[in-house]
Amino acid sequence: MSRTAHNVPTIASDAMDRYEAVIGLEVHAQLLTKTKAFCGCSTKFGAAPNSNTCPVCLGLPGALPVLNKHALELALRASLAIGCEIQPRSRFARKNYFYPDLPKGYQISMYEMPLATMGALEIEAGGAKRTIGITRLHMEDDAGKSLHEGFPDSDRWSYIDFNRCGTPLIEIVSEPDLRTPEEAYAYLTALKQILLYTEVSDCNMEEGSLRCDANVSVRLRGAEKFGTKAEVKNLNSFRYLSHALEHEIERQVGVLESGGAVVQETRLWNVAAQRTEPMRSKEFAHDYRYFPDPDLLSVTVSETTIAAIQREMPELPAAKRARFQSEYGITPYDAGVLTATRALADYFEAVVKAGAAAKSAASWISVELLRRLNDAAKDISECPVAPVALAELLVKVDKGEITAASGKKVFATMFDTGKRAAEIIAAEGLAQITDTSAIEKVAREVIAKNPDNLAKYRSGNEGVFKFFVGQVMRETRGQANPQAVNEILKRVLAES
Ligand SMILES: [Zn+2]
């Protein structure tokens, strides 16, 4: 286990090495529907407080919920994308608890009959591939939000915004198969990528569309039995997930090493203090008095529905990565970079389709284009260079009409101005010099101007050859064909 700089008890690293962590993640994702799970209220983020509410999502007496069909379709799509088996029949239950932001007094959630079970996700961490089991995927609705700060009288009052009440969520529960914070990070990354590819959720962690809780325990390496677990909540960024897990693992090892016992409880990641803190003793399922929601029909999913959803499934990230390697002959690394999002993968394929060589396209996109997009804080969807325009440039570079160095300059101008490559090359006189007599003329001038280096070359100092190449390239503003420069210089130097 790596040492960390966070606020953690100091434990000898040999003690850390004797233990291994057992981690399971519970991930909540908000479904990308226009309306809520059981009513027609808008799910739009950022609306005026309490403007998107109605008797159903406020839990007023007599209001009757009706399941949003699109929410179910998205949940089914997510289930199939993570290899889950859809249950022919599932059922919503009421999970009863009191909280000010829960006006119904219960959350509607699938409990003993979840929508889907037994999935798996392949992850890669530390160069090793592992398959992580997924216990279940179920649907539920969200609670509102308590606002404890940001108002002039926040020291005395808390405010409540019910807009989020009844927003459709899926919860994806993994098996306790993860062993390190790195694996947990890789799992959440892979899951997020799938939810984005399938357009099930926008996975915006800042807006709370993707949330993660972790069940963590430690045990001596080689032990079969799991240790007592703590649930760590509020891991709402990838960074928090890593930090909180590292901290919690060290904390639990510290407790055990000092002869104590880990308490089953819910802990909260305190971002400011960089540590997990007890929130409440862990509640058990029976505390919630679950019972089937009498207002909602059970959900039955036919084979026909499953087949229809499977047919419309987009190509998933793992399949796309494999296809990019076999179809375009690019490296696993480049395939990983280019399939990071569907939009980027589509861009790459459009560049190739427009005539660029796949390997050139892969390297230019993953290096030049992504760097410029990153510097400009732009998404690929806002890329000022159209795929066909990039393809035109790459064909010119590959044909030797311009050098790779000039190509980069041209690309920078294309990115900044939106102009096409041919126009920029003509305007800036960047066409590659392949005229050997022109290069030879420059080579002779350079040699004549540098008699000292010529003498060194003659006395056997091969190193000065690079100096001459550099001078010729400089005189030709990097536009001379490098191979021609080498050949011509060798010949002219031998004659000199
Ligand atoms: Zn409503």
Side-chain angles (χ1 to χ4, degrees):
M1 205 59 60
S2 64
R3 304 293 304 168
T4 63
H6 313 301
N7 191 357
V8 292
T10 309
I11 298 155
S13 64
D14 60 327
M16 289 302 294
D17 290 341
R18 287 201 302 279
Y19 289 85
E20 86 172 344
V22 174
I23 303 163
L25 294 189
E26 294 174 4
V27 176
H28 286 90
Q30 183 181 326
L31 297 173
L32 210 49
T33 56
K34 287 198 168 65
T35 56
K36 294 187 182 179
F38 304 107
C39 64
C41 291
S42 168
T43 53
K44 201 167 163 48
F45 184 84
N50 300 306
S51 58
N52 294 330
T53 56
C54 75
V56 172
C57 54
L58 291 174
L60 300 187
L64 282 176
V66 177
L67 178 60
N68 179 335
K69 189 180 172 206
H70 188 49
L72 176 61
E73 286 165 353
L74 292 178
L76 290 171
R77 200 190 292 168
S79 303
L80 293 175
I82 53 174
C84 279
E85 205 174 291
I86 308 284
Q87 295 304 302
R89 188 161 161 260
S90 48
R91 190 164 66 191
F92 286 103
R94 290 187 181 179
K95 180 183 183 180
N96 298 282
Y97 63 95
F98 172 79
Y99 205 77
D101 63 16
L102 189 72
K104 298 197 299 294
Y106 58 86
Q107 184 186 16
I108 301 175
S109 177
M110 288 171 171
Y111 176 55
E112 85 288 24
M113 293 176 73
L115 185 70
T117 56
M118 292 191 298
L121 204 60
E122 187 161 277
I123 62 160
E124 200 172 332
K129 280 190 179 164
R130 287 197 61 213
T131 301
I132 306 303
I134 290 169
T135 316
R136 57 188 274 157
L137 181 152
H138 65 256
M139 298 180 73
E140 57 188 33
D141 70 351
D142 208 349
K145 261 188 229 167
S146 299
L147 308 168
H148 304 295
E149 47 197 52
F151 295 92
D153 48 2
S154 282
D155 56 330
R156 289 189 299 134
W157 303 102
S158 284
Y159 288 78
I160 297 177
D161 180 0
F162 288 132
N163 279 351
R164 207 177 62 180
C165 285
T167 297
L169 304 175
I170 47 174
E171 179 174 350
I172 299 163
V173 183
S174 86
E175 290 286 296
D177 287 346
L178 301 158
R179 293 291 171 268
T180 62
E182 295 75 28
E183 287 186 359
Y185 190 101
Y187 171 87
L188 189 61
T189 304
L191 187 57
K192 180 181 171 189
Q193 198 180 33
I194 288 174
L195 296 176
L196 285 171
Y197 259 64
T198 50
E199 293 172 337
V200 162
S201 172
D202 66 14
C203 295
N204 187 329
M205 290 183 110
E206 273 135 49
E207 294 179 3
S209 304
L210 190 71
R211 290 169 249 163
C212 181
D213 303 329
N215 286 302
V216 188
S217 64
V218 297
R219 63 181 173 188
L220 285 168
R221 281 186 195 280
E224 296 249 324
K225 207 167 159 265
F226 289 154
T228 305
K229 67 183 177 187
E231 184 179 10
V232 186
K233 287 198 170 286
N234 204 21
L235 306 178
N236 297 333
S237 84
F238 280 86
R239 202 156 39 96
Y240 296 173
L241 175 70
S242 297
H243 290 179
L245 288 176
E246 283 167 9
H247 174 276
E248 181 59 17
I249 291 162
E250 294 211 24
R251 186 191 70 83
Q252 292 188 14
V253 169
V255 168
L256 296 178
E257 283 290 294
S258 61
V262 174
V263 180
Q264 178 162 350
E265 63 186 350
T266 301
R267 299 177 70 86
L268 203 62
W269 173 241
N270 182 327
V271 179
Q274 290 281 294
R275 63 173 176 240
T276 67
E277 290 170 347
M279 182 180 160
R280 56 175 184 246
S281 61
K282 172 74 185 169
E283 55 291 283
F284 294 89
H286 63 248
D287 293 330
Y288 289 117
R289 298 295 189 268
Y290 280 98
F291 64 88
D293 193 311
D295 289 342
L296 284 159
L297 296 169
S298 57
V299 179
T300 52
V301 184
S302 67
E303 290 295 332
T304 323
T305 305
I306 296 172
I309 288 178
Q310 193 77 69
R311 261 199 312 278
E312 283 165 23
M313 187 75 74
E315 184 178 34
L316 296 173
K320 209 183 269 292
R321 281 195 295 274
R323 181 171 65 80
F324 274 23
Q325 288 170 57
S326 62
E327 194 173 324
Y328 300 115
I330 61 176
T331 63
Y333 177 80
D334 279 345
V337 172
L338 294 171
T339 57
T341 64
R342 256 171 90 177
L344 186 62
D346 289 348
Y347 185 94
F348 165 73
E349 293 206 278
V351 173
V352 175
K353 207 173 162 204
K359 284 182 185 172
S360 305
S363 105
W364 277 72
I365 292 171
S366 57
V367 181
E368 294 297 318
L369 181 65
L370 288 184
R371 181 165 55 83
R372 292 203 175 270
L373 285 173
N374 189 43
D375 289 349
K378 279 193 161 101
D379 184 77
I380 186 72
S381 62
E382 307 161 293
C383 180
V385 180
V388 64
L390 178 56
E392 283 168 7
L393 171 67
L394 299 190
V395 167
K396 288 185 189 305
V397 174
D398 286 344
K399 275 195 191 156
E401 288 176 29
I402 55 170
T403 61
S406 299
K408 283 176 191 173
K409 280 189 222 158
V410 173
F411 180 70
T413 312
M414 287 167 74
F415 193 93
D416 292 339
T417 63
K419 286 183 185 160
R420 296 296 263 259
E423 191 185 339
I424 298 161
I425 292 164
E428 300 190 12
L430 289 169
Q432 178 161 290
I433 301 165
T434 49
D435 174 357
T436 49
S437 61
I439 297 172
E440 183 170 338
K441 184 165 168 281
V442 175
R444 288 189 186 282
E445 284 166 12
V446 164
I447 292 166
K449 268 191 247 167
N450 294 281
D452 294 355
N453 280 322
L454 177 62
K456 279 187 200 160
Y457 183 79
R458 278 189 182 142
S459 64
N461 184 344
E462 300 271 328
V464 292
F465 185 72
K466 275 191 186 144
F467 163 81
F468 286 117
V469 172
Q471 290 298 306
V472 173
M473 292 310 282
R474 207 180 71 169
E475 292 295 320
T476 56
R477 293 192 300 149
Q479 286 162 242
N481 178 301
Q483 203 187 334
V485 171
N486 270 288
E487 282 163 13
I488 290 165
L489 263 174
K490 269 186 195 144
R491 181 166 52 78
V492 176
L493 280 166
E495 292 166 3
S496 299

